[in-house]
Amino acid sequence: MNFDEIKNKASELLEQNHEKVDAGVDQAAEFIAGKFGHEDQVKSVAEKAKDILPGGE
């Protein structure tokens, strides 16, 4: 399997499971904000990350 096949498979899986991925990003953001503060900035980065991931809105 070459890199393009792996990349395509990963993108396909992200698209199929984007709700779970989004939930994971939100959980990570909550953890980071709780640990380090800066909740508004962390939420902003999390939203941008969800937008660029396959399946994002």
Side-chain angles (χ1 to χ4, degrees), residues 5-15 54:
E5 290 172 329
I6 294 169
K7 183 183 116 199
N8 291 338
K9 184 64 175 175
S11 291
E12 182 181 308
L13 289 171
L14 284 170
E15 284 181 34

Side-chain angles (χ1 to χ4, degrees), residues 27-48:
Q27 287 178 340
E30 286 178 25
F31 174 78
I32 292 168
K35 202 76 155 152
F36 302 105
H38 307 285
E39 186 173 340
D40 290 338
Q41 291 90 346
V42 172
K43 282 185 177 181
S44 176
V45 170
E47 290 303 314
K48 289 177 183 176

